[in-house]
Amino acid sequence: MSKTIIDTNFNFPNQKSVYKGKVREVYNIDNNLLVMIATDRLSAFDVVMPKGIPYKGQILNQIATKFMSQTEDLVPNWLIATPDPNVAVGHLCDPFKVEMVIRGYMSGHAAREYKAGKRLLCGVPLPEGMKENDKFPEPIITPATKAEMGDHDEDISREDILKRGIVSEADYLVLEDYTRKLFQRGTEIAASRGLILVDTKYEFGKTKDGKIVLIDEIHTPDSSRYFYADGYQERQDKNEPQKQLSKEFVRQWLIANNFQGLKGQTVPVMSDEYIDTVSERYIELYENIMGEQFVKADVTNIQERIKTNVKTYLAKANF
């Protein structure tokens, strides 16, 4: 029996449809609720890796749901319940077709673009004289289009979003405001754990009554990049790599093995030993970000566990 969950094919009561993203699978229940299952799939450079990472889905789901509760005083969110370690249940929402990426530091994709000579990212001017992992004078918002599985997210400017009618100006102002408030709160929580929230992305949707809410995940190692605060400046001064908590270590491994999701490139084989190290790193991420020990869920039969827990919840909720 596999100890990871890669794919699901459930048929819940009153199920209307299912959407399968890069990592999450979302079941529409009676056009009213969404049951979101965090699988153990690993996505990097917008490509889903062939093997799952043990406990990754549980880690992402539990981090996201905790941060939802820690930010709901600032920004409303879609979440109603978490009937299983890998499952979140929330209000049906119509998602905006952009991801709100916010960056406090010159890292990851921004740093790669900067090294290539670009000084404009998503319409935002980048200061001259910066080096990788330097802090921006103020956090910058660099949105991306939300791609379907198998496609690449693409950078897009605020001006293009509005010009193309992807989001109305009134709604976009709310998205920007919510993004900055969430990033500020995330920065404060990270600092309390001895971490720096480097950058992250948020996704938003509209409920049936037109309310804009936070959906999907928040401040997880898949959607965010963290540095250890201790020694950050010393490493910058010495031009040394930052000690970080994110799945950037997977991206760097892939780059070292000649893969960046480009046409014609083949995903390198991840050995079972490497998969185990990735799982251990995700657990390390969880414990540092959450400030608590990770408790592994029973993975004897993940599919049956999830099915039972969700059906029990839906029965109690009269769905």
Side-chain angles (χ1 to χ4, degrees), residues 236-284:
Q236 281 302 95
D237 293 342
K238 293 181 178 178
N239 293 317
E240 293 175 354
Q242 286 298 327
K243 189 178 179 189
Q244 60 177 293
L245 284 167
S246 72
K247 68 172 181 181
E248 182 66 18
F249 72 94
V250 175
R251 294 190 195 97
Q252 293 302 326
W253 182 86
L254 290 168
I255 291 171
N257 284 274
N258 304 309
F259 183 80
Q260 282 183 265
L262 303 176
K263 193 173 181 180
Q265 293 183 333
T266 304
V267 178
V269 175
M270 290 186 176
S271 67
D272 290 343
E273 290 76 20
Y274 182 70
I275 293 288
D276 286 342
T277 66
V278 175
S279 182
E280 287 163 10
R281 283 291 291 273
Y282 267 91
I283 291 171
E284 178 192 351

Side-chain angles (χ1 to χ4, degrees), residues 26 33-36 68 76-81 88-93 207 213-217:
V26 185
L33 290 184
L34 294 178
V35 173
M36 187 166 73
M68 290 263 179
N77 62 63
W78 76 293
L79 187 66
I80 297 172
V89 177
H91 298 285
L92 174 72
C93 295
T207 60
V213 297
L214 175 68
I215 61 172
D216 201 38
E217 62 183 334

Side-chain angles (χ1 to χ4, degrees), residues 11-71:
N11 190 7
F12 297 121
N14 298 309
Q15 180 176 312
K16 298 295 183 184
S17 63
V18 59
Y19 167 79
K20 301 200 174 192
K22 296 185 187 91
V23 172
R24 289 169 177 77
E25 306 197 343
V26 185
Y27 289 79
N28 176 334
I29 309 298
D30 203 30
N31 291 323
N32 193 32
L33 290 184
L34 294 178
V35 173
M36 187 166 73
I37 299 167
T39 72
D40 294 322
R41 293 196 294 263
L42 174 65
S43 168
F45 297 115
D46 296 316
V47 176
V48 176
M49 301 294 113
K51 294 182 180 179
I53 307 300
Y55 304 105
K56 177 177 175 289
Q58 178 190 350
I59 287 166
L60 294 192
N61 190 56
Q62 291 185 334
I63 291 174
T65 53
K66 182 166 184 178
F67 276 116
M68 290 263 179
S69 70
Q70 290 182 332
T71 57

Side-chain angles (χ1 to χ4, degrees), residues 127-192:
E128 289 290 347
M130 292 190 74
K131 61 184 180 183
E132 186 170 2
N133 300 330
D134 276 352
K135 185 177 183 179
F136 287 119
E138 294 290 335
I140 63 171
I141 293 177
T142 59
T145 57
K146 181 72 179 148
E148 297 296 324
M149 186 153 71
D151 293 332
H152 289 276
D153 296 342
E154 292 182 1
D155 292 341
I156 188 169
S157 68
R158 181 185 198 271
E159 291 70 27
D160 279 347
I161 289 170
L162 300 182
K163 187 164 65 176
R164 288 161 56 180
I166 299 172
V167 181
S168 73
E169 185 168 11
D171 286 350
Y172 193 79
L173 290 173
V174 175
L175 299 189
E176 281 192 329
D177 178 55
Y178 281 175
T179 296
R180 293 193 185 281
K181 284 176 176 173
L182 290 169
F183 190 69
Q184 178 59 34
R185 176 65 58 82
T187 298
E188 292 164 2
I189 295 171
S192 74

